[in-house]
Amino acid sequence: MIYVAAVAVAAIVAVLHFLWPYLVGRGGAYSTSSRKAAEWAFRRIGVAGRRIYDLGCGYGGVLALAKAMGAVPVGVEIDPVRWLVCALRCRCRVVLGDMFKTPLRDADVVYIFQWPSVNARLAEKFRRELRPGAYVVSYMWEVPGLRLVAYNPALRVYVYQV
């Protein structure tokens, strides 16, 4: 009986871990981003020396790439388990919190892999907070109302400039 209860609790924890941002209405469910897409966009922009925010950074794959390319990475993650793993893995600033409440005024580049409905909400935040010339890189989905400057259909990555 204890074994069944432990397995049930572990299953619930695992499901919540992957769905937490979606369930609290603060992002999409967990899925990994494409390293190739991020690298293509970062090379196109030239990220060395720039401050890059990854909103919903997960376990930090994009942050590790940005750091390796000479950027100053900052992650934002709402899930405490992913936040901890990312902070230990990337050894950079990782904010445990809500991407909608995290100020972005010092961002040169913002990277996102969210759902279309979340991107629409983030677009308002970007227009309000990002300074002119800042970039937004979106993997998989468009960001409405921003100026598209590059797109790679094979990698499904969009690059916008404010």
Side-chain angles (χ1 to χ4, degrees), residues 69-98:
M69 294 179 78
V72 179
V74 179
V76 180
E77 180 55 56
I78 199 167
D79 179 273
V81 174
R82 286 192 286 267
W83 167 82
L84 179 61
V85 171
C86 181
L88 293 172
R89 175 185 184 191
C90 297
R91 302 205 185 278
C92 66
R93 183 172 157 227
V94 184
V95 176
L96 174 60
D98 186 335

Side-chain angles (χ1 to χ4, degrees), residues 120 122-131 143-146 162:
L122 284 171
E124 294 298 320
K125 178 177 178 63
F126 297 153
R127 284 191 288 276
R128 242 185 0 261
E129 295 184 21
L130 293 177
R131 61 181 172 257
V143 180
L146 297 183
V162 176

Side-chain angles (χ1 to χ4, degrees), residues 1-77:
M1 185 67 136
I2 292 174
Y3 175 76
V4 173
V7 170
V9 168
I12 290 169
V13 168
V15 168
L16 286 176
H17 173 66
F18 288 106
L19 295 177
W20 183 251
Y22 174 73
L23 294 173
V24 296
R26 302 322 253 170
Y30 178 74
S31 182
T32 58
S33 191
S34 165
R35 182 181 171 95
K36 284 183 181 182
E39 186 173 1
W40 179 87
F42 291 170
R43 288 196 189 290
R44 183 143 183 114
I45 294 168
V47 297
R50 294 184 188 223
R51 184 173 309 278
I52 295 181
Y53 278 73
D54 183 357
L55 304 183
C57 61
Y59 298 113
V62 170
L63 293 176
L65 172 66
K67 188 174 182 179
M69 294 179 78
V72 179
V74 179
V76 180
E77 180 55 56

